[in-house]
Amino acid sequence: MNLADEGQQRNLKDFLLLYNKLTEQCFERCVYNLNNVGVSKAETDCVGVCTDRYVTYNQKLMMKFMEHQNLRQQAAARETEAAAQQGGVAPSSVGDTPNS
């Protein structure tokens, strides 16, 4: 299996986990009566609001995560550049992998 396939599998797994969590939370929050065959308008409206909020929250969370990662990468690049200018060995960062 190549890296592209692994990345696609990881993305699918992440999506399915998010979808399952969203479904479970909104179902628990919005479905009031399991005795009816159909779904009530109140339940449909609740699920709509719940999913909108969850998706909006997840998007905001991902934006903050990407901002944080960008800042970490910039700081690591500055540290590496400073170490190179001083002729020392660059400090290793958490999550970095060796080039070999």
Side-chain angles (χ1 to χ4, degrees):
M1 184 180 313
N2 65 30
L3 290 176
D5 290 340
E6 289 177 12
Q8 287 176 346
Q9 283 186 341
R10 186 173 42 251
N11 287 342
L12 178 61
K13 180 181 175 184
D14 291 344
F15 168 77
L16 291 175
L17 288 171
L18 178 66
Y19 177 80
N20 287 338
K21 188 171 184 176
L22 166 91
T23 302
E24 183 179 334
Q25 286 185 353
C26 291
F27 181 85
E28 288 177 2
R29 185 173 293 150
C30 297
V31 177
Y32 308 114
N33 187 352
L34 296 175
N35 295 328
N36 293 338
V37 175
V39 179
S40 72
K41 178 165 176 24
E43 290 172 335
T44 301
D45 293 345
C46 179
V47 168
V49 170
C50 180
T51 55
D52 288 346
R53 285 182 179 170
Y54 194 86
V55 168
T56 300
Y57 169 78
N58 190 56
Q59 288 173 339
K60 287 180 181 179
L61 180 66
M62 291 308 296
M63 290 301 292
K64 288 294 183 183
F65 175 78
M66 289 184 337
E67 288 173 14
H68 179 72
Q69 285 298 103
N70 191 19
L71 292 173
R72 286 184 67 198
Q73 288 175 347
Q74 289 173 2
R78 284 191 301 271
E79 288 178 15
T80 301
E81 186 177 311
Q85 288 177 355
Q86 293 177 359
V89 177
S92 62
S93 298
V94 175
D96 287 348
T97 56
N99 293 333
S100 57

